[in-house]
Amino acid sequence: MGVYINPFTDFGFKRIFGEEDNKDLLIDFLNELLLPQGITIGDLTYKPTARLPLSAEDRKVVFDLHCTNQRGDRFTVELQKAKQTHFKDRMLYYSSFTIQEQGKQGPWDYRLDAVYMIAILEFMFDKAAAAQKVVGYHQISDVETHAPFTDKLTYITIEIPRFTKTEAELETNLDRWLYLLKHLHEFERVPAALQTRIMQKVFRIAEYTKLSKEAKQ
């Protein structure tokens, strides 16, 4: 057992990002991730992660994290350790629940809050695609002009194995987050490049010796 927990476990991921007392960590991470989208999250509200099927024949869905920001945007964050053949289809399927739950009975103009489906992956979709970016932003767009059809549905993929920067090469706060997620369970102490207030909190709550007996099991 190392000094710090592994964020690529269900417990480790939810310990860092899924607890109300640590909500500031998820806000900071998402704000860095969403900079290209021009979004700044001031606050988040955690929502139930279970989605019941529409009928007895349908499949129940349980998200890793599901939350909304102050203006109603909806964020589903999924962690996937093992490669799954149809994971992109799974992202589409999961996002459909977040869209459907916005439906209202009676008069309704069909206006939707924005949905962001975020996947943090410990695998690469295509190892042969050397030019593939670490973080990918995906929307529905026109086939010819590539103009967005709608900004209400965004898929963000983070392929952690593609992140190869060393500590000395870290430039942005998102770099620091990706470096931490990839290497946290390997560290024996806090690296100099990660000694910011928000990162130091991650290390405090991730320290294995400070966990309760129940959490260690």
Side-chain angles (χ1 to χ4, degrees):
M1 183 62 65
V3 176
Y4 300 105
I5 60 177
N6 188 344
F8 275 91
T9 63
D10 184 66
F11 170 78
F13 181 70
K14 291 178 180 176
R15 169 77 173 171
I16 295 170
F17 290 125
E19 298 183 2
E20 186 69 28
D21 289 344
N22 304 327
K23 183 168 62 174
D24 56 330
L25 302 180
L26 181 59
I27 291 173
D28 190 87
F29 174 67
L30 290 180
N31 276 337
E32 297 301 328
L33 190 62
L34 294 167
L35 275 178
Q37 308 297 305
I39 297 172
T40 300
I41 298 172
D43 194 18
L44 283 176
T45 301
Y46 289 104
K47 297 293 185 180
T49 55
R51 293 295 177 274
L52 298 177
L54 298 178
S55 69
E57 291 76 25
D58 293 333
R59 180 185 181 92
K60 179 181 178 181
V61 166
V62 180
F63 302 140
D64 286 337
L65 291 178
H66 185 56
C67 50
T68 60
N69 69 358
Q70 67 276 9
R71 69 179 189 182
D73 298 333
R74 297 158 191 254
F75 304 89
T76 299
V77 187
E78 284 290 304
L79 180 80
Q80 183 66 23
K81 186 175 179 67
K83 186 169 185 178
Q84 189 175 70
T85 303
H86 301 293
F87 189 78
K88 293 179 182 179
D89 291 353
R90 175 176 161 182
M91 291 180 70
L92 289 168
Y93 180 66
Y94 277 22
S95 66
S96 70
F97 283 83
T98 310
I99 295 170
Q100 289 179 47
E101 71 181 7
Q102 299 185 51
K104 298 177 182 179
Q105 293 185 348
W108 180 41
D109 63 1
Y110 290 93
R111 190 196 72 81
L112 296 172
D113 295 318
V115 171
Y116 295 85
M117 182 74 205
I118 300 163
I120 307 173
L121 312 172
E122 203 177 32
F123 65 88
M124 294 182 282
F125 284 118
D126 183 2
K127 291 182 179 180
Q132 185 74 24
K133 298 185 297 183
V134 177
V135 181
Y137 299 87
H138 316 276
Q139 291 182 329
I140 301 172
S141 63
D142 184 277
V143 174
E144 294 181 353
T145 68
H146 304 295
F149 176 72
T150 176
D151 61 356
K152 294 296 181 74
L153 183 58
T154 302
Y155 299 93
I156 303 176
T157 55
I158 308 170
E159 298 178 59
I160 291 292
R162 293 193 185 278
F163 185 79
T164 59
K165 288 187 177 182
T166 65
E167 181 182 353
E169 295 172 325
L170 304 181
E171 299 175 304
T172 67
N173 285 331
L174 182 57
D175 281 349
R176 294 182 184 92
W177 269 114
L178 299 181
Y179 184 72
L180 181 144
L181 290 173
K182 184 172 184 176
H183 298 291
L184 177 60
H185 64 291
E186 302 169 357
F187 294 138
E188 295 184 358
R189 61 184 64 85
V190 182
L194 301 184
Q195 291 188 11
T196 65
R197 180 192 62 81
I198 203 77
M199 295 294 171
Q200 286 180 333
K201 180 174 181 179
V202 176
F203 281 96
R204 285 198 304 273
I205 67 173
E207 192 170 343
Y208 182 75
T209 58
K210 294 182 179 178
L211 299 178
S212 65
K213 290 183 179 179
E214 292 78 14
K216 292 177 181 178
Q217 294 177 350

